[in-house]
Amino acid sequence: MDNCIFCLIAKGDIPSATLYEDEKFRVILDLGPAARGHALVIPKEHYADLFEIPADLAAEAVKLAKRLLPAMKEALSCDGFQLVQNNGEAAGQTVSHYHLHIIPCYAGKGPGAAWTPGELAEEDKTAIPEAVKKLL
Ligand code: AMP
Ligand code: ZN
């Protein structure tokens, strides 16, 4: 993927504020952070999203986030974290190269990624589990 911005960043062809790098991942600071210290775990191999990425590599991305969290908590003096991972335009994915957001949260500021809670419809309580279970 020659023209993929995250391929270029992950491989070091475009400079980035890098917190961590190994043979499989680069972790960078997001240029449009939801909060101070907002980081992105980017695999060096190109996969568009969670549908495409091999399960083991996605699991490794989460393991890496788990390893980074205590260091980020201490370095940033933050109070919590959100892990966010968008899949598809409808979900707000703007870069079609799998990445896991690590968003630090600060007491009193509210979470960087928030939604307005709706209400679970009565029929969905059975219809959705039934529909999904059938396909697993
Ligand atoms: P998503 O909406 O999940 O696809 O997230 C893409 C994220 O990448 C956004 O939070 C952007 O701010 C961030 N981003 C886009 N281009 C760059 C870049 N060149 N360096 C760092 N972060 C970037
Ligand atoms: Zn890519």
Side-chain angles (χ1 to χ4, degrees):
M1 289 297 267
D2 292 345
N3 57 353
C4 169
I5 180 95
F6 279 8
C7 278
L8 295 169
I9 288 174
K11 286 172 185 150
D13 295 339
I14 291 181
S16 60
T18 295
L19 308 185
Y20 175 89
E21 185 189 3
D22 64 22
E23 67 285 354
K24 289 186 185 166
F25 294 98
R26 182 184 291 271
V27 182
I28 68 165
L29 289 180
D30 193 303
L31 274 187
R36 183 165 182 266
H38 182 165
L40 303 171
V41 177
I42 305 176
K44 290 187 173 179
E45 287 264 343
H46 182 93
Y47 299 102
D49 54 25
L50 192 57
F51 291 97
E52 279 194 5
I53 192 171
D56 285 352
L57 192 59
E60 280 186 58
V62 175
K63 280 189 191 167
L64 178 53
K66 178 168 171 58
R67 190 173 150 207
L68 288 163
L69 248 53
M72 289 178 69
K73 189 170 193 309
E74 189 168 337
L76 295 162
S77 298
C78 60
D79 304 295
F81 286 96
Q82 291 177 302
L83 294 193
V84 174
Q85 200 273 304
N86 298 323
N87 296 280
E89 227 177 288
Q93 185 177 9
T94 56
V95 180
S96 291
H97 176 128
Y98 176 95
H99 52 281
L100 178 61
H101 295 258
I102 302 176
I103 306 175
C105 302
Y106 298 87
K109 286 200 172 166
W115 65 88
T116 309
E119 202 177 324
L120 178 57
E122 204 48 48
E123 65 270 26
D124 284 344
K125 291 182 186 175
T126 50
I128 292 174
E130 269 173 25
V132 173
K133 283 181 199 167
K134 258 201 312 221
L135 298 169
L136 289 174

